[in-house]
mmCIF file of all heavy atoms in Angstrom:
data_model
loop_
_atom_site.group_PDB
_atom_site.id
_atom_site.type_symbol
_atom_site.label_atom_id
_atom_site.label_comp_id
_atom_site.label_asym_id
_atom_site.label_seq_id
_atom_site.Cartn_x
_atom_site.Cartn_y
_atom_site.Cartn_z
ATOM 1 N N ILE E 292 -1.745 26.893 17.235
ATOM 2 C CA ILE E 292 -1.924 26.714 18.687
ATOM 3 C C ILE E 292 -1.827 28.051 19.423
ATOM 4 O O ILE E 292 -2.511 28.261 20.439
ATOM 5 C CB ILE E 292 -0.941 25.664 19.254
ATOM 6 C CG1 ILE E 292 -1.465 25.139 20.595
ATOM 7 C CG2 ILE E 292 0.457 26.197 19.405
ATOM 8 C CD1 ILE E 292 -0.796 23.870 21.046
ATOM 9 N N ALA E 293 -1.041 28.989 18.883
ATOM 10 C CA ALA E 293 -0.915 30.295 19.544
ATOM 11 C C ALA E 293 -2.079 31.222 19.198
ATOM 12 O O ALA E 293 -2.579 31.948 20.058
ATOM 13 C CB ALA E 293 0.412 30.958 19.146
ATOM 14 N N ASN E 294 -2.523 31.162 17.940
ATOM 15 C CA ASN E 294 -3.472 32.186 17.468
ATOM 16 C C ASN E 294 -4.808 31.663 16.947
ATOM 17 O O ASN E 294 -5.720 32.451 16.718
ATOM 18 C CB ASN E 294 -2.821 33.006 16.333
ATOM 19 C CG ASN E 294 -1.466 33.559 16.739
ATOM 20 O OD1 ASN E 294 -1.331 34.187 17.792
ATOM 21 N ND2 ASN E 294 -0.445 33.303 15.932
ATOM 22 N N GLY E 295 -4.910 30.352 16.733
ATOM 23 C CA GLY E 295 -6.088 29.843 16.023
ATOM 24 C C GLY E 295 -7.292 29.587 16.892
ATOM 25 O O GLY E 295 -7.850 28.483 16.887
ATOM 26 N N TRP E 296 -7.717 30.573 17.613
ATOM 27 C CA TRP E 296 -8.845 30.416 18.536
ATOM 28 C C TRP E 296 -9.864 31.528 18.302
ATOM 29 O O TRP E 296 -9.611 32.422 17.511
ATOM 30 C CB TRP E 296 -8.354 30.427 19.988
ATOM 31 C CG TRP E 296 -7.242 29.451 20.210
ATOM 32 C CD1 TRP E 296 -5.919 29.772 20.364
ATOM 33 C CD2 TRP E 296 -7.311 28.020 20.258
ATOM 34 N NE1 TRP E 296 -5.161 28.612 20.509
ATOM 35 C CE2 TRP E 296 -6.001 27.534 20.460
ATOM 36 C CE3 TRP E 296 -8.352 27.102 20.160
ATOM 37 C CZ2 TRP E 296 -5.704 26.176 20.547
ATOM 38 C CZ3 TRP E 296 -8.067 25.750 20.259
ATOM 39 C CH2 TRP E 296 -6.764 25.294 20.460
ATOM 40 N N GLY E 297 -10.982 31.458 19.013
ATOM 41 C CA GLY E 297 -11.999 32.509 18.872
ATOM 42 C C GLY E 297 -12.486 32.565 17.444
ATOM 43 O O GLY E 297 -12.786 31.533 16.840
ATOM 44 N N GLU E 298 -12.500 33.749 16.863
ATOM 45 C CA GLU E 298 -13.048 33.855 15.506
ATOM 46 C C GLU E 298 -12.144 33.212 14.446
ATOM 47 O O GLU E 298 -12.559 33.014 13.313
ATOM 48 C CB GLU E 298 -13.378 35.313 15.156
ATOM 49 C CG GLU E 298 -12.170 36.214 15.137
ATOM 50 C CD GLU E 298 -12.537 37.686 14.931
ATOM 51 O OE1 GLU E 298 -13.745 38.016 15.097
ATOM 52 O OE2 GLU E 298 -11.636 38.482 14.620
ATOM 53 N N LYS E 299 -10.894 32.874 14.848
ATOM 54 C CA LYS E 299 -10.008 32.209 13.877
ATOM 55 C C LYS E 299 -10.019 30.689 14.009
ATOM 56 O O LYS E 299 -9.203 30.005 13.391
ATOM 57 C CB LYS E 299 -8.564 32.684 14.110
ATOM 58 C CG LYS E 299 -8.292 34.111 13.704
ATOM 59 C CD LYS E 299 -6.813 34.371 13.930
ATOM 60 C CE LYS E 299 -6.386 35.712 13.401
ATOM 61 N NZ LYS E 299 -4.994 35.964 13.791
ATOM 62 N N CYS E 300 -10.932 30.153 14.811
ATOM 63 C CA CYS E 300 -10.826 28.729 15.153
ATOM 64 C C CYS E 300 -11.137 27.776 14.015
ATOM 65 O O CYS E 300 -10.905 26.572 14.130
ATOM 66 C CB CYS E 300 -11.666 28.394 16.392
ATOM 67 S SG CYS E 300 -13.428 28.329 16.079
ATOM 68 N N TYR E 301 -11.668 28.302 12.896
ATOM 69 C CA TYR E 301 -11.902 27.427 11.731
ATOM 70 C C TYR E 301 -11.019 27.792 10.540
ATOM 71 O O TYR E 301 -11.152 27.186 9.474
ATOM 72 C CB TYR E 301 -13.374 27.512 11.284
ATOM 73 C CG TYR E 301 -14.376 27.086 12.341
ATOM 74 C CD1 TYR E 301 -15.327 27.976 12.839
ATOM 75 C CD2 TYR E 301 -14.367 25.776 12.833
ATOM 76 C CE1 TYR E 301 -16.247 27.577 13.804
ATOM 77 C CE2 TYR E 301 -15.280 25.378 13.795
ATOM 78 C CZ TYR E 301 -16.206 26.284 14.275
ATOM 79 O OH TYR E 301 -17.117 25.878 15.221
ATOM 80 N N ASP E 302 -10.144 28.789 10.695
ATOM 81 C CA ASP E 302 -9.413 29.320 9.525
ATOM 82 C C ASP E 302 -8.591 28.256 8.802
ATOM 83 O O ASP E 302 -8.630 28.152 7.582
ATOM 84 C CB ASP E 302 -8.490 30.480 9.931
ATOM 85 C CG ASP E 302 -9.271 31.769 10.175
ATOM 86 O OD1 ASP E 302 -10.517 31.716 10.143
ATOM 87 O OD2 ASP E 302 -8.628 32.813 10.400
ATOM 88 N N TYR E 303 -7.808 27.480 9.568
ATOM 89 C CA TYR E 303 -6.979 26.461 8.912
ATOM 90 C C TYR E 303 -7.840 25.354 8.316
ATOM 91 O O TYR E 303 -7.485 24.772 7.295
ATOM 92 C CB TYR E 303 -5.943 25.881 9.883
ATOM 93 C CG TYR E 303 -4.700 26.723 10.006
ATOM 94 C CD1 TYR E 303 -4.412 27.437 11.166
ATOM 95 C CD2 TYR E 303 -3.794 26.816 8.942
ATOM 96 C CE1 TYR E 303 -3.264 28.211 11.279
ATOM 97 C CE2 TYR E 303 -2.647 27.592 9.036
ATOM 98 C CZ TYR E 303 -2.391 28.286 10.204
ATOM 99 O OH TYR E 303 -1.257 29.050 10.302
ATOM 100 N N ILE E 304 -8.976 25.054 8.957
ATOM 101 C CA ILE E 304 -9.858 23.999 8.424
ATOM 102 C C ILE E 304 -10.388 24.436 7.050
ATOM 103 O O ILE E 304 -10.305 23.676 6.079
ATOM 104 C CB ILE E 304 -11.035 23.718 9.384
ATOM 105 C CG1 ILE E 304 -10.514 23.255 10.750
ATOM 106 C CG2 ILE E 304 -11.971 22.670 8.792
ATOM 107 C CD1 ILE E 304 -11.571 23.148 11.829
ATOM 108 N N HIS E 305 -10.871 25.657 6.971
ATOM 109 C CA HIS E 305 -11.424 26.127 5.697
ATOM 110 C C HIS E 305 -10.337 26.215 4.630
ATOM 111 O O HIS E 305 -10.550 25.842 3.473
ATOM 112 C CB HIS E 305 -12.134 27.473 5.889
ATOM 113 C CG HIS E 305 -13.366 27.351 6.742
ATOM 114 N ND1 HIS E 305 -13.834 28.370 7.532
ATOM 115 C CD2 HIS E 305 -14.195 26.297 6.948
ATOM 116 C CE1 HIS E 305 -14.924 27.944 8.183
ATOM 117 N NE2 HIS E 305 -15.145 26.688 7.842
#
Side-chain angles (χ1 to χ4, degrees):
I292 200 164
N294 307 309
W296 308 105
E298 63 186 15
K299 289 183 173 173
C300 75
Y301 300 118
D302 284 6
Y303 277 110
I304 300 171
H305 293 151

